Amino acid sequence: MARRHLLVALAAVSLVCAGTLVGAQTGAAVRPKPPTPPDKVVVIVVDALSKEIVEKYDMQHVQALMKDGVDTPRGYLGHTGSVTVVTHNVITSGMLPKNMGWTNEGYRDVDGVLGDPGGLYITSNFGYDEMSALQEHAGYPHLSDYLDDTGKVFTVSPKGYAAYGLSGPGSADTSVSTFTSADPCEVGGVRWRKPTGPGVPSYIEGSCGSRYWVERDKGYDTLQFPAQLYPATDDRYVVGDEPGHQGGDIWATDAALQIMAEERDAWSGLLVSLPGIDKAAHMWGGVNDPEDATPGFDPMTHMEFATATADAQVGRIMDALEESGELDSTLVVLTADHGSVAAAEGHWHGDFEPVDDYGYYNWYYGDPENDDPYDQPQEALQPLIDTENVGLSYSDSSLNVWLEDRSRASVAEAAAVMKRLPDVTAVWQRRGDHFDRVSRVRWDRMTSGGERSWFARKAQELVDTQAAPYGPDLVATLPDDTTYSVLGDHGGIQRTSQQIPIVFAGAGLSGKDLRAEVRSVDIMPTILRALGITPSYDMDGKAYRLPRTRP
């Protein structure tokens, strides 16, 4: 019996060897194991980062990521309003504005989620509780809901509503680090802005005057036109010159890197928003920033410094992941919440008074439930206000109007006025889940074939993404170089507002680009696919397969 077992074993070995030999002779190969899915995610949102800005300011770390990672050369934002308070939530929900709870800086509380039904609100005034209520009312999960199963998710942004959009309502384990406008403290004659947020780590919260508290009362060179429309008055968005208390993008990156170090074995997601470029672009007109021609020029508040700083922070985050040995197991997403429209001479239709933050009167008109009345509309908008039917308007590089009387005749009256406003290219009326164009297209107000082609291909799609009962009743689109608010702004369908980077890196990804027209709403489902997670909710975005380098 022992001899029989030995012969069987030898025969089996012979068959295996023969099979191996045949395989080698016929050219068959053992299929390599598929790469292990990443188990961590880092999302970096560089606010207002258009592709135009990346190229003009030679942002080398961003360009390297675009070259070495999975870039999307035809990618674009893919929705309106193209504003911070919308896009941060789109990125981590995979939902278009018309399905996510709010569409723009204005919001009609149709279902009475926040108060009496029908109330009008400014969404960028929302705190964590208000935004969470709308997110939960809409019913979809966020990226943090999926990542919470394997670790803790941390969100860092100096801008509160950006942080709350990225994080979502989260769980009891949610951690958000941002700033509060309330409760400043004073040490040695200096007032400090306090870090805050649900679940903010104790090593970031600190005590009055510690590392992550930043100086409040700083004006730099921004208390003059055009920056005075929306000036920097502390170090929340500006790096500042206070040693050991740098704000803005450096603040966000320092906090993110400390979280990575302190929570090394605990974190599964890190969501970081860098607001420096956005602030500089709003103040100085984006790529039209006069830089050192500014009286009292302080480079710290301007575009060249802001872009170099943001670029360096992207490099710091990537270096930290590589040095920790976690880059190959971490999916990194680099993107923006919108680009930046730079108003050309004669195409800025706001008003100016030498008062800090006067730009808010250009952005808003009405009496919202969560702010003081805005009752000083710019002269260009006055014909619409004269209809006495505007409940709330929000104006940037598009015009968005919530009407009080929405009868057919009243809507038609307002639309007829809007089409005669300066530089309007078309007026759109919401009808159910889409917008109908109710004016002729002013092709003559578009200055290039590229602009006209973009409008023809994308205007309807982009406007339709905010077709919801809580969205605007009327929208007016504007040309590439036009704003009604501040000299550098966002909001509309313009190419410079829509054409943003969307890059995937780390996690063993190859340098092969996606040729599809990837949109911001596609980021979330693409992340889940890369992680091997099955979605529990039907998203509006498309999941793309990211090409990876096989081991």
Side-chain angles (χ1 to χ4, degrees):
M1 291 295 291
R3 175 179 170 79
R4 175 176 172 78
H5 283 304
L6 176 62
L7 290 174
V8 171
L10 289 173
V13 169
S14 298
L15 286 171
V16 171
C17 293
T20 302
L21 180 62
V22 170
Q25 291 174 338
T26 60
V30 177
R31 180 174 297 176
K33 293 181 180 179
T36 303
D39 57 12
K40 293 186 175 183
V41 177
V42 173
V43 178
I44 308 169
V45 184
V46 184
D47 292 12
L49 185 65
S50 66
K51 292 180 180 179
E52 177 187 33
I53 287 173
V54 172
E55 182 176 350
K56 174 171 180 175
Y57 292 98
D58 192 23
M59 298 178 69
Q60 296 183 10
H61 291 288
V62 172
Q63 290 172 332
L65 215 58
M66 295 169 76
K67 178 177 180 294
D68 297 335
V70 179
D71 192 18
T72 58
R74 301 177 65 211
Y76 65 109
L77 191 72
H79 61 263
T80 54
S82 52
V83 293
T84 299
V85 73
V86 171
T87 305
H88 280 74
N89 195 73
V90 169
I91 290 169
T92 52
S93 71
M95 306 302 293
L96 289 171
K98 66 181 181 179
N99 295 321
M100 76 177 205
W102 67 97
T103 70
N104 215 308
E105 291 256 9
Y107 166 72
R108 191 191 302 275
D109 193 8
V110 176
D111 293 336
V113 179
L114 304 178
D116 292 335
L120 294 168
Y121 293 80
I122 293 175
T123 57
S124 56
N125 286 346
F126 286 162
Y128 178 76
D129 291 341
E130 292 86 358
M131 193 170 286
S132 294
L134 296 186
Q135 292 161 334
E136 291 174 343
H137 180 68
Y140 50 82
H142 267 71
L143 178 59
S144 58
D145 294 311
Y146 294 99
L147 297 179
D148 273 350
D149 291 340
T150 56
K152 189 167 182 176
V153 181
F154 294 83
T155 302
V156 179
S157 173
K159 191 181 297 183
Y161 55 86
Y164 305 142
L166 275 177
S167 72
S171 66
D173 216 22
T174 292
S175 174
V176 179
S177 298
T178 184
F179 280 117
T180 178
S181 297
D183 303 324
C185 74
E186 185 171 331
V187 175
V190 176
R191 293 204 313 158
W192 301 94
R193 186 186 284 274
K194 176 183 178 180
T196 189
V200 57
S202 59
Y203 50 83
I204 291 176
E205 183 177 27
S207 58
C208 183
S210 57
R211 160 62 189 105
Y212 295 105
W213 295 58
V214 300
E215 195 169 353
R216 284 185 62 96
D217 304 312
K218 303 293 284 285
Y220 302 102
D221 60 349
T222 68
L223 304 182
Q224 59 184 306
F225 182 79
Q228 195 173 25
L229 288 162
Y230 182 50
T233 54
D234 64 14
D235 293 345
R236 183 179 190 175
Y237 304 139
V238 176
V239 169
D241 53 12
E242 184 68 29
H245 296 277
Q246 291 175 308
D249 294 359
I250 292 180
W251 181 92
T253 305
D254 282 357
L257 297 187
Q258 186 164 358
I259 288 168
M260 289 169 58
E262 299 275 355
E263 316 284 348
R264 178 175 180 131
D265 298 325
W267 71 274
S268 59
L270 185 58
L271 316 175
V272 186
S273 176
L274 306 179
I277 292 174
D278 179 81
K279 186 64 173 177
H282 279 311
M283 290 192 297
W284 299 113
V287 295
N288 292 339
D289 187 342
E291 293 285 349
D292 57 5
T294 303
F297 172 63
D298 188 329
M300 195 173 297
T301 74
H302 290 263
M303 286 291 291
E304 186 172 351
F305 182 92
T307 53
T309 300
D311 190 50
Q313 307 322 301
V314 172
R316 290 179 65 202
I317 293 171
M318 296 303 296
D319 287 347
L321 287 169
E322 188 165 11
E323 290 167 5
S324 70
E326 295 184 313
L327 184 57
D328 287 342
S329 60
T330 303
L331 176 63
V332 179
V333 180
L334 173 73
T335 190
D337 54 352
H338 53 77
S340 180
V341 177
E345 185 175 356
H347 294 276
W348 177 61
H349 300 299
D351 290 346
F352 175 71
E353 293 290 341
V355 177
D356 291 355
D357 285 324
Y358 191 81
Y360 283 97
Y361 287 105
N362 294 332
W363 274 316
Y364 308 117
Y365 175 83
D367 188 8
E369 301 288 340
N370 59 343
D371 208 336
D372 295 328
Y374 289 96
D375 55 2
Q376 301 176 48
Q378 58 269 67
E379 183 179 352
L381 200 66
Q382 190 63 51
L384 179 63
I385 305 307
D386 289 342
T387 65
E388 299 183 351
N389 191 27
V390 175
L392 182 68
S393 71
Y394 173 68
S395 306
D396 49 13
S397 67
S398 68
L399 307 179
N400 307 272
V401 181
W402 289 256
L403 298 174
E404 293 182 345
D405 179 358
R406 288 176 284 167
S407 65
R408 179 178 298 182
S410 295
V411 174
E413 178 190 16
V417 173
M418 289 177 72
K419 72 181 182 182
R420 295 193 296 270
L421 297 179
D423 276 334
V424 166
T425 57
V427 177
W428 312 75
Q429 178 183 345
R430 181 174 56 81
R431 292 194 173 114
D433 63 355
H434 68 282
F435 278 85
D436 286 344
R437 182 168 53 79
V438 292
S439 74
R440 69 185 181 94
V441 178
R442 292 296 302 269
W443 302 105
D444 57 306
R445 291 179 171 173
M446 304 179 202
T447 58
S448 70
E451 181 178 7
R452 289 187 284 272
S453 174
W454 178 264
F455 184 98
R457 290 185 296 116
K458 297 298 183 184
Q460 183 74 60
E461 170 201 334
L462 294 171
V463 172
D464 279 350
T465 61
Q466 60 173 327
Y470 45 77
D473 301 304
L474 292 168
V475 173
T477 48
L478 303 172
D480 274 358
D481 57 357
T482 303
T483 72
Y484 268 63
S485 44
V486 293
L487 267 67
D489 216 348
H490 46 39
I493 67 169
Q494 295 88 341
R495 292 170 295 172
T496 53
S497 193
Q498 290 286 326
Q499 291 177 334
I500 60 165
I502 301 176
V503 186
F504 302 90
L509 296 182
S510 74
K512 184 179 180 181
D513 295 340
L514 295 178
R515 306 307 303 178
E517 289 190 316
V518 180
R519 307 159 297 162
S520 298
V521 74
D522 302 324
I523 292 173
M524 168 73 163
T526 299
I527 289 174
L528 294 184
R529 178 169 180 170
L531 296 178
I533 296 174
T534 301
S536 61
Y537 195 91
D538 288 336
M539 292 172 283
D540 293 322
K542 177 180 179 180
Y544 288 93
R545 185 186 68 81
L546 299 177
R548 300 183 70 187
T549 302
R550 289 194 174 271

